[in-house]
Amino acid sequence: MSDDVHVAMVEIYCKELKMPGLRKAYAALAREAGVHNHSPVQYLAACLAEEIESRKASRLQAYTQQARFPAHKTLQEFDFTAIPTLQKQRIVHLAGGDFIRAKENVICMGASGTGKTHIATAIGLAAISAGYRVRFITVMQLVQELLQAESEYRLPRYLRTWDKYDLVCLDELGYVSLTQGGPLLFQFCAERYEKGSILITTNLEFAKWTDVFHDATLTTALLDRLTHHSHILLFEGESYRFRESQRRAAAQL
């Protein structure tokens, strides 16, 4: 058979086997193998390595899109000098994902604008790079979805859709008071207890969480579950967003 026939067959086989990385790279790798006199096994290994890298890149892109982060934020972009209470080495360790493997939680606590969402996003992105599935959502949006699912008699099914995520980032707990949504948020967190990790950002200290849930017993039970296996990060310092806006304004002068 001619080379054209073989090329067509490789194209068909790659499509059938769903190997886009191999399909894209095999021709260039074949030329390289000819130039450097690589063995057939070396060539095959190079082709398979390209396919693996292609699948990793596709998975990273898909998981990042599924996470629905409000913005792309990394640890490299964060100014740790602005928040003296935050130990960089501790954050870097959390970004490694060991807490997710251990089904532990992270609670980012501090005033508005101190960088809690930035760190939550950065940890989430690092977790995705490590192969974990992550979902980012504000507490208010989650509560609205929980209430809707309950009203449509599909709450158990809705809760199960979250089982596929290794880490759920709940942003902005405490910014809005919860009424009938409080017990549903408790149920959501209880469902994940020791089965999956939660990362929460909040502007309230634990003693004030009752102001959000309006139920001391429920709040105590929730805190008991969240803090049993948790890493508590305190964000104390001047507003990070305010500092950033000042820096940008100064740069424009």
Side-chain angles (χ1 to χ4, degrees), residues 12-192:
I12 291 172
Y13 293 155
C14 285
K15 287 183 180 180
E16 185 70 21
L17 294 170
K18 298 180 181 179
M19 302 177 79
L22 177 58
R23 182 185 177 195
K24 183 178 179 181
Y26 80 89
L29 290 173
R31 290 191 293 270
E32 182 180 340
V35 170
H36 297 286
N37 197 29
H38 290 165
S39 69
V41 173
Q42 286 176 307
Y43 172 62
L44 176 60
C47 287
L48 294 177
E50 284 291 331
E51 178 59 31
I52 289 174
E53 289 304 313
S54 174
R55 293 190 181 194
K56 284 182 179 178
S58 296
R59 183 172 62 247
L60 179 63
Q61 181 180 15
Y63 281 11
T64 302
Q65 290 176 343
Q66 291 173 6
R68 303 184 192 179
F69 295 113
H72 190 284
K73 300 289 186 179
T74 66
L75 293 183
Q76 290 74 21
E77 298 168 331
F78 191 81
D79 181 10
F80 283 91
T81 63
I83 311 294
T85 57
L86 206 59
Q87 297 179 0
K88 182 177 181 179
Q89 192 56 43
R90 188 181 183 192
I91 303 302
V92 171
H93 178 73
L94 288 172
D98 286 346
F99 81 96
I100 301 174
R101 187 162 47 252
K103 306 295 190 299
E104 297 171 345
N105 303 318
V106 175
I107 300 175
C108 299
M109 184 182 299
S112 177
T114 50
K116 300 184 300 296
T117 300
H118 184 140
I119 290 297
T121 301
I123 290 176
L125 282 169
I128 290 173
S129 296
Y132 295 106
R133 298 188 72 171
V134 179
R135 178 72 160 85
F136 184 101
I137 189 170
T138 65
V139 168
M140 197 65 250
Q141 181 183 343
L142 175 62
V143 168
Q144 289 173 347
E145 292 183 8
L146 287 167
L147 288 169
Q148 183 175 354
E150 183 185 47
S151 68
E152 296 172 356
Y153 304 101
R154 56 179 179 85
L155 182 60
R157 186 167 73 251
Y158 173 78
L159 289 171
R160 284 195 298 272
T161 65
W162 291 86
D163 292 344
K164 62 185 178 184
Y165 297 110
D166 303 295
L167 171 65
V168 175
C169 299
L170 298 182
D171 197 30
E172 299 182 344
L173 175 67
Y175 289 85
V176 178
S177 179
L178 305 176
T179 52
Q180 71 262 40
L184 291 176
L185 182 58
F186 168 80
Q187 183 177 351
F188 177 89
C189 294
E191 290 275 340
R192 292 191 63 81

